[in-house]
Amino acid sequence: MPFAALIIIIHSTLVGLCLFCANLLLLRRRDEGVYVPLALLFLFQGLSFLPDLIAEAIYGPDAQTSWQIYLNVLISPLDLASPLLFWLYVRALTTEGPVMVVPGKFWHAAPIIAASLCITPVVALPADILNGIIPPPPELMPNIQLIMQLLLVADIIFMAIVTVYITLTMRMLRVYSKRLRDIFASTENRELTWIWLITISAGIYLLVGFFDTLSESLDWNAAVTEAPVFKVLTEFIILVLMWIIGVWGLRQRPGLRSPTVEPITEQIGPELSKYKHSALDNERAKRIAAKIETAMQADQLYRDPNLSLWDLSKHISVTSHYVSQTLNTKLGRSFFDYVNSWRIKDAVTRLTTTDETTLMIALDVGFNSRSSFYKAFKRETGKTPRDIREQ
């Protein structure tokens, strides 16, 4: 199949995929604040490919029409806003509680506006020159050179935008991963691995874009970036990334949302009501720590594979904030590490006293999979389950 046909197929698939995902996300009524940025991302990406797709279908993939260029300039802010929209989506997805208004909106919009203004002068060129029908006259060369410099500046601004939002996204993901360990005993289904993949891919895209911009300014890229194979590969990678975002974005739910609307009120006596709006004191922390230990040792709460901080909080009738504070200050462990230490302790006992399979033990003490059990077991004991059994 010729490269021209491949590019048309890829662009058609991209437009259809983006508009379909945007429609599904905009129809969601639950957690709208989370999914609207992602829906706009798909919508903007689908619209940004439309001019090229229409021109390719009519004139072929190598044609450059004036109206196509004008439309691309007109909708360029949509493309420039994509990194911001993806960051807003990740921000909402990893937020604990209601999604807050973004501070400093001007500073987020300013680089997008600046890059758009740098692209706008392209529309001042005559259509015949844009289409390559006639060569530019000498008197227009200074203007054309200025426009090319402005386009270079726009490209640099866009790379800066991508760099900033990659950095902000990775910082949020690290905070989110740490917070998961404070709330959940099992985090496998809540880890945003696919977003890490997208973020790393965006970083690779940034490096490729930087090389492309540098090579273009030095006239190095004619043999590589203008080759049909390179163009097809680039568009195919974009299609794969949008497909990954679509598949996972449609199924991903916020990972830190509490199932309860109101926090649980601690029921340990009216004499402690004076601490309602104060920091947790040492004596109270000791009592909460004792309740937590009882819930694990006597009630074996750790065996619940879906156990969360909120479940433990409800079980012992103490606010989740105080439970978390007690775990960190009195017991010296995150919720994730604390619960898994009880699971491993139980697993070690059963490995040395029963003939049950390792998988059966792992599932029975609260782990969701063999891999998470082995990882936690090695981290807690420094040995494997087989080592313990062979002792």
Side-chain angles (χ1 to χ4, degrees):
M1 182 180 294
F3 292 119
L6 278 175
I7 290 178
I8 293 176
I9 292 173
I10 292 173
H11 280 180
S12 302
T13 307
L14 262 171
V15 172
L17 172 68
C18 290
L19 296 181
F20 177 72
C21 290
N23 179 61
L24 290 181
L25 290 165
L26 288 172
L27 289 175
R28 293 203 169 181
R29 292 293 174 263
R30 186 174 181 180
D31 298 318
E32 289 183 10
V34 175
Y35 297 111
V36 167
L38 187 61
L40 292 177
L41 171 64
F42 278 112
L43 179 62
F44 291 176
Q45 283 296 306
L47 293 176
S48 68
F49 281 107
L50 268 179
D52 291 338
L53 177 60
I54 295 172
E56 288 163 359
I58 298 174
Y59 305 106
D62 296 325
Q64 284 288 329
T65 64
S66 54
W67 63 265
Q68 176 190 1
I69 296 174
Y70 293 151
L71 278 178
N72 280 328
V73 171
L74 181 65
I75 65 178
S76 61
L78 304 183
D79 211 22
L80 293 168
S82 295
L84 169 61
L85 290 171
F86 189 72
W87 173 74
L88 288 174
Y89 166 66
V90 177
R91 178 179 180 270
L93 195 64
T94 58
T95 296
E96 188 173 355
V99 180
M100 304 298 291
V101 176
V102 179
K105 294 180 181 178
F106 170 78
W107 297 110
H108 291 283
I112 297 173
I113 295 172
S116 300
L117 291 175
C118 290
I119 297 172
T120 303
V122 171
V123 301
L125 293 176
D128 290 340
I129 294 177
L130 287 175
N131 291 331
I133 297 175
I134 62 173
E139 62 269 17
L140 283 182
M141 288 306 298
N143 294 337
I144 293 176
Q145 290 175 355
L146 176 60
I147 290 174
M148 295 303 296
Q149 290 172 354
L150 288 174
L151 290 176
L152 179 61
V153 171
D155 205 8
I156 293 173
I157 293 174
F158 180 65
M159 286 190 288
I161 292 172
V162 175
T163 302
V164 168
Y165 288 114
I166 285 176
T167 304
L168 292 176
T169 300
M170 294 183 74
R171 183 184 301 174
M172 283 191 302
L173 290 175
R174 286 195 294 268
V175 173
Y176 173 77
S177 296
K178 183 179 182 301
R179 187 59 181 150
L180 281 181
R181 297 171 71 90
D182 290 333
I183 296 179
F184 299 103
S186 301
T187 63
E188 296 95 331
N189 297 328
R190 294 180 172 87
E191 293 286 354
L192 300 177
T193 307
W194 69 275
I195 293 183
W196 278 106
L197 173 63
I198 295 297
T199 306
I200 293 171
S201 300
I204 296 173
Y205 165 82
L206 181 68
L207 292 176
V208 173
F210 174 76
F211 170 77
D212 188 33
T213 301
L214 178 64
S215 61
E216 184 176 356
S217 62
L218 298 176
D219 294 328
W220 289 350
N221 69 330
V224 179
T225 59
E226 296 300 323
V229 176
F230 183 86
K231 290 182 177 181
V232 171
L233 181 61
T234 302
E235 299 299 328
F236 181 73
I237 291 173
I238 294 174
L239 172 61
V240 171
L241 290 178
M242 295 306 296
W243 180 80
I244 293 173
I245 296 174
V247 169
W248 285 96
L250 288 168
R251 63 187 295 187
Q252 188 68 59
R253 297 292 303 276
L256 296 177
R257 300 296 170 85
S258 170
T260 56
V261 178
E262 295 293 333
I264 299 163
T265 303
E266 185 178 1
Q267 303 292 333
I268 55 176
E271 72 279 1
L272 294 177
S273 60
K274 63 181 180 179
Y275 296 113
K276 183 177 179 181
H277 299 293
S278 64
L280 186 65
D281 70 319
N282 186 56
E283 197 61 36
R284 197 178 193 183
K286 286 183 180 178
R287 279 197 281 266
I288 295 175
K291 284 190 170 189
I292 294 173
E293 293 282 310
T294 300
M296 295 298 161
Q297 187 170 4
D299 303 334
Q300 295 184 328
L301 210 62
Y302 60 86
R303 290 192 173 185
D304 179 1
N306 299 313
L307 183 66
S308 70
L309 183 72
W310 303 307
D311 297 327
L312 175 59
S313 172
K314 183 177 180 180
H315 185 83
I316 65 175
S317 299
V318 177
T319 63
S320 58
H321 174 74
Y322 283 163
V323 173
S324 179
Q325 189 175 344
T326 301
L327 285 167
N328 287 308
T329 60
K330 209 69 185 172
L331 300 175
R333 310 197 79 170
S334 67
F335 178 76
F336 177 88
D337 292 332
Y338 176 74
V339 173
N340 281 298
S341 68
W342 277 95
R343 290 173 173 174
I344 297 302
K345 188 187 301 184
D346 190 357
V348 169
T349 301
R350 297 175 68 167
L351 284 168
T352 54
T353 58
T354 71
D355 294 328
E356 295 175 328
T357 65
T358 302
L359 179 59
M360 184 181 296
I361 292 174
L363 296 176
D364 202 37
V365 299
F367 288 97
N368 287 316
S369 65
R370 183 195 297 268
S371 60
S372 60
F373 171 65
Y374 271 80
K375 187 177 179 180
F377 198 96
K378 184 71 174 180
R379 183 176 59 249
E380 190 71 24
T381 67
K383 300 177 181 179
T384 66
R386 183 175 180 179
D387 294 336
I388 295 295
R389 268 205 158 139
E390 290 179 349
Q391 285 182 349

